[in-house]
Structure formats: C-alpha cells, structure tokens
Amino acid sequence: MSVVALPSSFARPARRVWRKLTRPHVLVAGVMLALLAYLVITPLLIMIQTTITWQPEDNRLVRGITPGEFTLFHWERVFNSIISQTMLWTPLQNTLVTSIGISIFALTLGSLLAWLVVRTDLPGKKFIASVAIIPYMLPSWTISLAWIVVFKNQRVGGSIGFLEALTGAQVPDWLSYGPVPIIITLSLHYYAFAFLLVSGALQSLDARLEESGEMLGATRWQVLSRITFPLVIPAILSAFILTFSRAMGSFGTPAFLGNPVRYYVLSTTLYNNISSRLQADGFVLGLVLIAISIVTIYLNQRIIGVRKSYATLTGKGFASTPVRLRALKYPILILVGMFLFIAVVAPLGFLGYQSLMLQKNSFALDNLSLHFWIGESNPKIADGIAGILTDVQTWVSAWNSIALAVLVGLITSVLGIFLGYAVVKGRGTWLSKIVEQVAFLPYLMPSIAFGAIYIGMFAQPLGPLPALYGTFWILVVVSVAKNLPYSSRSGTAAMLQVGSELEEAALVGGASWLTRFRRIIIPLTSSGLVAGFLLTFITSMRELSLIVLLVTPTTRTLTTLNFRYAEQGYHQPGDALAMMLVVIILACEWIVRHFRGAQIGKGLGA
Amino acid sequence: METTNIIIKNLTKRFGQVAAVNNVTLTIEPGAFITLLGPSGCGKTTLLRCVAGLEEPDEGEILIGDKLVFSSRRGISLPAGQRNLGLVFQNYALWPHMTVYKNMTFALEIQKLAKAEMDQRVKESLAEVQMTGYAERYPREMSGGQQQRIALARMLAYRPKVFLMDEPLSNLDARLRMDMRAELKRLHHVAGATTIYVTHDQVEALTMSTQIAVMKEGVVQQMDTPDCVYHFPANLFVADFIGNPKVNLLEGVANGDGAVDLGNFKIQLAARTAPGQVVVAARPEDITIALAPEPGAVEFTAYSVLPAGADSTIVARRDQLELTVKVIGTSKIKMDDKVWLQFNPATLNLYDKTSGNLIHSKN
Ligand SMILES: Nc1ncnc2c1ncn2[C@@H]1O[C@H](COP(=O)(O)OP(=O)(O)OP(=O)(O)O)[C@@H](O)[C@H]1O
Ligand SMILES: [Mg+2]
C-alpha cells in the first residue's frame, strides 16, 4: 500500500515501517496533527506562558521588573489579593449561577419540545421543529437586545422600555438587568441547542426497544419512564453539560444585560481586563474558564462512560407509533405556539419596531421612521449616526462577516474530511485517537478565552504565518480552529457512512490515493460536508465572543459593529443591524438547504 | 482467459495477540474454484484480504502466477491495484454516486482504456450476468440481487486473472441464492479464472467448489475436493462442521479386532484397528432404519420424526444415546415406534478420541 518507492537497499524491517508510515491515512493523520499542534496547542502554551511571566504593561503596577522573567504575580493577583473578590470570586459565582440556571431551563424546554416533536402526535410537528431551531441560528444576544427594548427602566441611559411606556409603572431593576434577564434570554436561545441534541437522540432511539416494552404489557407512561428516559439520559446529560459550557463562555448577553448594573461574569471580566491592557490577568481568567469547562466535560465523559452499555442509541431509528396526546393535544399545541411566539417572533418584532423609532423613548406610531435604516447622517439625531444601509461601515462589516463565514465554512469542511479520514481509517491506532482528542480540545475552551489566546499568539510571526494580529486572517484562523471539533466530528460521521469496502474496491481496481479521494471519498461525504458547511457558516456569521477581542475597525463584522453600537447606547442602529444579520443568516440557510436538497442523495439511497 | 495459480506459504496475520490467519499454506491450481469454509471469525476474510493486498500479513509469502506479490522475508508487498485481481464484497461495495456504467469503467479508466473498448467490455460483462440495459441505473435503483450481479459484472469488466469473493451471496434470500449459485458456477466455468470464494455456508461450498479449505481459528484443517471433505473429514471438527443434519459422533472403545464397543452395543468396522479410545462418525444418511428387527441391527426408539418433503429426519434414542438418521422421502415411522438401526461399516469413519484425527478409513 505504499505510495512512495523506497530504495531496494533498505533493510527489511525498515521497508515494513516505511510502508506503514506512508499509508495515506497515516500521512494525513500526521499532517493533521501538526496543524492541530500549531492551531491549538501552541496558543494554549503561549497563553500559559504569558500568565507566568512579567509583561511590559506590569510596569504600571510594579516597579523594577524585567519583562519576560518568571513570576506568579498574575496568579496571585487574580486568586489572592485585595482585588480577587471583584476580579475572580464574584464573577465566578455569577458565572456559575447564570450558567446553571440557563442549562436547567434550556434543557427542560428543549427536551420537552423534542419529545413532543419526535414522539407524539402533535399536529404541525415539521413546522414547529423548523421554527424551534431558528434561535440556534441567530446570535445568542439577539433576544437580550429585544429584552432591553421591552424591560428597560430609567436607571440606565434615561430612556424607558416598552413595558414602562405602556403601563407607566417603573420596571424593577432585577427584571431590567442582571442575572434574571440573562438567564431568561439565554435559555430562550440555548433551548434550541438542547432541542437539537435531544431530538437527535430520540430519533436514533431504536423504537423496537420501546415496542418490546409495550409487548410485555407496560403502559405508555411506564415505557417512557423505564425505557425511553433511561436510554436518552446520557444524551440529556451531555446536552446539559454542553449547554453549560457554552453558556459559560457567552459574552454578548452578559455584556448587554449585566454591564449596565455592574453585574459581571467571567467572560465580561476577561474582556474588561484585556481591553484595559491587563492581558496576563485576563489570560488567568481564561485559564480558569478553560479549567471549569474541562472539569465539566470530563464529568460528562465519566457519566456517559459508566453508561456505555446504553450504546443502543446508535440504532437506525425506526418509526414508532406516536404517543397520543388525546384531549391535551390542542392545549399543548397552543402552549407550544405561545412559547415559540415568545422565543422567536416577539423578539424579532420588538427589535424591528425599535429600529424604526426615531426618538429612543417614544413608542408612539408617529415616532416611526426609517432614519436608522436609510437616513443620511444628521447631527441632531443620535450624534449624527447614519442609517445602517447608507453607512459604508455596515457594508464593510457585512462583507467581512460573509467572507469570514464562507471562508471558515469551506476551510473547515475540507479539514473535516481529512480529519474524518485520519480518524476513521486509523481506527484503533494511537495516532487516530490522538488526532481525535486534540481536534476536540478547542471545544473545551470557551470562545472568549480561545479568542484571547490568539491575541498573544499572532502578535508576532509564528512559524509559517506572519504577524496576523489586526488582520482579517486572524479572524479566519481563530474561527477555523474553534470549529475544528465540529468539523472533525461531522467529517468522522460522514466518513463512517462510507463503508471501507467502497474505498477498497477502488484500491483493488488500481486507483491511486488521490483518485480514490477525489472520485470516491469526496463525492460520498459531500452531503455531510454541506451540512457541516452550513453549521460552521451560521456559527461564524453569528459569532461575537470569539472574535470580539481580535477585531479592529477595518476588520469589523456585523456582530462586532452591533456590539459597538450597543456598548455606546445607540439602540436603534444596533437593532437594525441585528435584523439585517438575522435576514442574512436565514436567507443563507434557506439557500444552502435548497441547494443541498437538490444535490443530496444523488445515488446515496442505500 | 489465461489462468493462474496461487501459492500461499506459511502465511500468518495477527491482530494484536490473536493470529487471525495462522501459518497457512495452500497451493491453488490454475482455474480452481477454491472455497474457504469455516465458522464465523475463523479468519476466512482475513486470508482473502491478505491475498487481495488489503491486509499486510506478518509472515509468509504469496505468489500469484509467477509473481511474488508478498514476502515478509524479502520485504515485498505489492499494492492491491497491481495484483490484477477482482474482488466482490459481501455488501457489493458498489459506488452509490456512480451509475452502473461508471462503476464498471472506473478501473478501466485508470488503465486508460479507449472508450470503445470500455463500452465493449461493459456490454459483454452485463450480458454475462444478464443485466443488459441497466448501464444507466444507479445502485439504489436496483434490487439486492441485481446489485449483486452488477458487482460481479464490475469484476468481470476488469478481466482479472483471479476472482476473489467474500460471501457474495449471503445478503440474498434463499431462493435467489440458489439461482446465483448456478450462475456463479457457470461464470467460473466460462471465464475459467482461478477463484477464491469465502463462505460459511457448507452447501454453497460443496456445490460450487473444486476444492474446499476448511478453517478453524486461523488454521486450515483440511483442503480437499468437496467429495473427500464430505466423506473423509480429516478430523472431528471438519466432520462435525460439514453435513446437514450433523454427523453422529459416537464415543467408544476399539477392541482391536474391528469392532467398537459403545457401552450397550457394538459397531462392526470394515477393517481392524489398534485398540484405544475412539470416536465413530456415522453420517445420518448412511444409517438404515427399519420397523422390524434385522440381523445385526440395533434396537432404538423413534424420539422425534421430522419430515421435510424430499427426505425425513428421524431422531432415535437408546438409553442416553441419541442418533440422527436421514431417509429419502416420507417415512412410515411414527414417534415412539420401535426401530432397528443398521450401520454400514464401509461408510463409517473412525477418529482418535484424544487427537481428534481420522485414524481409519475404508480402503
Ligand atoms: N481489523 C481487525 N482488527 C482486529 N481484529 C480483527 C480485524 N479483522 C479481523 N479480526 C479478527 O480476526 C479474526 C478473523 O476474522 P475474519 O473476519 O477473518 O473472520 P471470518 O472467518 O471472515 O468470519 P465471518 O464468517 O464472520 O465473516 C476474528 O477473531 C476477528 O475478530
Ligand atoms: Mg468474513
């Protein structure tokens, strides 16, 4: 199977080793491993190194230090100094409270909805499912902006929200800002993630397991509680932990809803530290986030590991008779409809409405105007901010967003095939295991921390790449690296679908590795790749926390431009931008799905 | 078509500690149809894949024709694509994104054949498997049996010197399998290519092969013609594995003058043997059964009677001893009848109880 000829003078054992090393999947795995080391391990090491050496900026705090020398100063400052409480402990506590709250609510909502959609006779299930996942496609902070529109009180920035304008009563602080709105709004975003995970598990659950329970005389409830639930428990648990780890790294919502009342979580503290040039301290917080995340994911693996025997989840999934909701059918349908209205329709409606308001604090119809969409700059309105569609900045950012998302989607899809190939063809070898594990690492790192890592990494030229800091390319590299776990997973899944015989049949026919890859592997994995592309594309379009630390005015994307507006208190243009982003994402999703629908399955029936 | 021989010498392939193929030596004559037969996990597929070049053995040599395609000693391992052999997989491995035509010409394109030549070969091969007119179909647009034929046609179009097939019929239903057996045998007869065929279905092996290699735990137990494997199994494993219903294995003591004492009766053999612990193997169809006493017959009770149209199986008991007998047609014997069993000394095989090897066969 060797692809490279070896001089015949080589000794026999050497030939054998050479043949092993030059197997395509070993070569691919080697290249992938080098890439992973470069994109994931190096930055992590640099981050750690930064936290344990004196930084030039530290001169402001301590005299007579030599930058570059070893010190535990930053760790001590974060963990054990007079500012530890505000720097670490309070934000940590806030992070845990909000993330756990979010995970519980999101999971309850998502699992219930998943069960209703997958396993019951609820009418309009397809439509419900397609609406239910919309929040997953939008930036997680969209709902928090809408929340502000409705629940804002006078305390911050003078203007009032819709509720106060409507009722005249002052909205209490706890409902306007802080943990309660953070938990509610992020739950309304992350439930879609839980919904996707749990409904996937429910769909792949072999219905025969349930049916055999029924055959033995168990009632529907007994089947649900004794068979279905225990079988999907691993999926629910991991959905919980994955939600937790993402909620912990989310940045936009806590910034919008927490900062105005000085309610800080780790991600916002990290951001503040780094923006005030306390990079090393920020990195320590980043490592704390990574550590928490690693612990939770480790727990996840432990819990699922214990329950390995429930591996039946991977069954093909057979249609089973849906649970009859009987009299509850329509009441439940109405509840679900109301929920989707609150989670999907209402936020977009409020954002749209506010984007049309000329004056911040009047919800009256005669205040409506298209100024923040198409108006020319007017010094009398909002300090002269022009309508987003006339502002060249918007178009630059939109271009950046789309270019970023397309590039990242393409690069990760291609990397995904190679990773999948290396992992699947090398099944059982340590090389394949290492590639799989390392590709998973970025998953453990909360976005904001991962973005922080790249500041340090690409400040100077590193290896083959020039100093990327401040360029568009650093956004591409960081997004590619952060999405590696997804691409490797979808690549692996796609590759597993392609039986090894299909490649072997070509091998026996004399096809070279390149031919096999080009004519067999890529065509057969392409439908999985389009799905992977779509996922990465949307993730990159709506990404804020990963890149917020890395953008400069020229490399701004729609999300970071929006963040800047929000930070400066310009609500209407921010809302208009959010709406624009939503429209772009949904349109792209529709186009890609359409394109994929036309392409998929050309011969992929069996 | 030119044919070629295959020589496998001391081939060993390990997965971790397990030797999936253990020191196998086989010589396969040009034009032979050899079947690798054995229970699941005995290493048939692994041996076939070693020959194909999809698996690299740890030790040994493989020659195809005069060409050394693998030698651990000399560090040679020819890539699969250069061994000029065709492989049919159990699940057919048709490329789902290509039409039948594309599937069949894939390897031909790599050989850079002219378009006219490719068309010609596709046409001929499809005709050979009776699938003319299916060239533009996609695999999923065909039934399992049709896909099976296309998989064969794809191999034929390639014109390999050696056919390798790994349980190609096991995904088909019983009826179709019967038809395909006949087709495959015919195909081999016409093409004449040396064929290695893997199956765990003994009927398939017995009906189709010129030679059968029975394997167990990576070791070839016996390699012989179907007739010899059936009538003179080399050891108890082979005897037990081949035959349906299963052979009767009776433990006893050979007394040295041509009879075996089974405890409560004796069986007469065709020739003398050395005394010792032995196992007598009697095929169910080689025992005659009667409703009335006969000289030399042993009395049993019909424990169960299983008619199957063309033949019937009768399970007979005498104390602890249980025997299976097969008779042609429908038997008049009913359950619980007294029956008399007669052994034909010329058909009995005798095995050493400790080694399990054949120690005596009729001459
Ligand atoms: N890639 C592999 N890695 C590890 N062990 C393997 C591998 N392939 C086969 N084996 C082991 O080698 C032994 C022989 O396997 P093989 O597939 O050759 O059996 P088989 O005779 O074809 O069985 P079946 O009739 O079930 O197809 C088995 O014990 C199997 O578990
Ligand atoms: Mg096999």
Side-chain angles (χ1 to χ4, degrees), chain A residues 87-126:
Chain A
M87 178 113 152
L88 175 69
W89 303 118
T90 311
L92 176 62
Q93 191 189 340
N94 293 344
T95 300
L96 293 178
V97 166
T98 50
S99 305
I100 291 175
I102 292 161
S103 312
I104 291 173
F105 284 119
L107 207 70
T108 315
L109 291 171
S111 314
L112 265 176
L113 200 58
W115 182 74
L116 286 170
V117 165
V118 177
R119 277 291 192 256
T120 69
D121 62 347
L122 196 68
K125 292 196 290 191
K126 277 223 176 89

Side-chain angles (χ1 to χ4, degrees), chain B residues 15 20 39-46 167 200:
Chain B
F15 292 110
S40 189
C42 70
K44 310 177 291 284
T45 298
T46 309
E167 310 206 24
H200 58 242

Side-chain angles (χ1 to χ4, degrees), chain A residues 488-515:
Chain A
S488 111
R489 209 185 270 189
S490 62
T492 306
M495 204 60 72
L496 281 172
Q497 302 251 303
V498 181
S500 57
E501 301 85 10
L502 293 178
E503 193 192 353
E504 284 168 1
L507 185 62
V508 172
S512 69
W513 183 69
L514 262 179
T515 311

Side-chain angles (χ1 to χ4, degrees), chain B residues 307-312 327-330:
Chain B
D311 50 43
S312 309
V327 296
I328 304 291
T330 314

Side-chain angles (χ1 to χ4, degrees), chain B residues 35-96:
Chain B
T35 300
L36 304 179
L37 177 67
S40 189
C42 70
K44 310 177 291 284
T45 298
T46 309
L47 180 54
L48 190 80
R49 288 170 59 86
C50 287
V51 174
L54 296 173
E55 211 75 74
E56 185 169 337
D58 294 290
E59 279 154 42
E61 283 188 352
I62 302 172
L63 283 102
I64 298 179
D66 307 323
K67 201 151 148 205
L68 188 62
V69 297
F70 176 80
S71 164
S72 65
R73 200 171 42 80
R74 309 213 351 226
I76 292 174
S77 181
L78 213 60
Q82 294 175 23
R83 297 190 183 189
N84 195 8
L85 31 79
L87 179 54
V88 178
F89 293 83
Q90 179 172 358
N91 58 6
Y92 321 141
L94 294 176
W95 296 300

